[in-house]
Amino acid sequence: MHMRRAFYIGRFQPFHLGHQAVLEMIAKEVDEVVIGIGSAQRSHELTDPFTAGERVMMIRHALGNSGIPHYAMPIEDIKQNTVWVAYVTARTPPFEIVYSNNPLVIQLFKEANVKVKQPPMYLRSQYSGTEIRSRMLKGEDWKHLVSPEVADVIEEVNGADRLRNLAMSDDP
Ligand code: ATP
Ligand code: MG
């Protein structure tokens, strides 16, 4: 049987309900989803607090009960856009379509003659990694913006405390 596979990439800092809504939509159109965890080498930064392994955990637990067949794979940055599509396809299961709203991702795959679809945005002002990290830093509520399983992973690794510690300065 021919499996239809899609590719979806993000940094997932953290994996939130907007990502999950997009994946549920994609799963209706293909058999399996290859999820690229971008900037995989980054962690412990204000814009990228979680490790690749922690992001794998978030996705595994969030999608565990949803029946979305997927492979979540860390993808490290390569600072050479001309070879990025080949770099990605060399380390992922084969896919025939890409879902993205990121202009660079769209441009690079289109130039490589890969079909690209732009999924709709779900309540982008709330469901945004930037918004969630900002709430964590300020000690505001953020758990309603991620699935309970993702909230558990973030709690397990003390994610909000980590962000607040990263924001401190050693200058007087
Ligand atoms: P950040 O603010 O850190 O960039 P983000 O919410 O944009 O976080 P990414 O990991 O950058 O999350 O996003 C991965 C992909 O998911 C991107 O293509 C982005 O456009 C898309 N995306 C993010 N939020 C939503 C949303 N609410 N609805 C649909 N797609 C989303
Ligand atoms: Mg983004």
Side-chain angles (χ1 to χ4, degrees):
M1 183 195 136
H2 175 72
M3 297 284 269
R4 292 204 74 214
R5 251 175 252 105
F7 182 64
Y8 180 63
I9 187 158
R11 290 175 14 263
F12 309 121
Q13 292 282 12
F15 185 80
H16 58 63
L17 292 173
H19 302 134
Q20 217 162 313
V22 170
L23 282 162
E24 272 156 27
M25 191 276 283
I26 298 173
K28 294 196 178 107
E29 301 184 359
V30 296
D31 300 307
E32 297 184 324
V33 190
V34 180
I35 303 174
I37 300 174
S39 299
Q41 82 284 3
R42 288 188 182 268
S43 75
H44 298 80
E45 297 176 41
L46 285 174
T47 51
D48 293 270
F50 302 108
T51 67
E54 288 162 352
R55 291 176 274 162
V56 167
M57 285 165 72
M58 291 177 201
I59 294 170
R60 165 164 303 230
H61 290 292
L63 300 186
N65 301 322
S66 68
I68 297 180
H70 66 281
Y71 308 85
M73 333 210 7
I75 311 255
E76 283 163 28
D77 288 330
I78 162 186
K79 289 183 185 85
Q80 202 175 351
N81 291 332
T82 49
V83 294
W84 185 75
V85 168
Y87 171 78
V88 167
T89 53
R91 36 186 52 63
T92 46
F95 53 84
E96 56 193 68
I97 184 164
V98 172
Y99 288 79
S100 183
N101 286 307
N102 181 292
L104 176 62
V105 172
I106 294 170
Q107 182 66 26
L108 294 176
F109 276 111
K110 278 192 173 165
E111 285 185 22
N113 296 315
V114 179
K115 193 173 170 203
V116 180
K117 267 197 175 180
Q118 295 188 238
M121 283 288 171
Y122 293 88
L123 301 174
R124 177 63 162 148
S125 54
Q126 308 179 42
Y127 296 143
S128 133
T130 301
E131 171 66 19
I132 294 168
R133 293 190 303 274
S134 148
R135 284 167 170 268
M136 288 174 168
L137 268 178
K138 290 188 268 186
E140 295 173 0
D141 287 346
W142 53 269
K143 286 186 194 165
H144 59 293
L145 303 174
V146 301
S147 73
E149 293 84 356
V150 170
D152 284 348
V153 171
I154 293 171
E155 297 247 283
E156 181 188 332
V157 303
N158 291 319
D161 284 344
R162 179 188 298 171
L163 256 185
R164 285 190 287 270
N165 292 338
L166 293 172
M168 289 182 189
S169 163
D170 58 359
D171 290 328

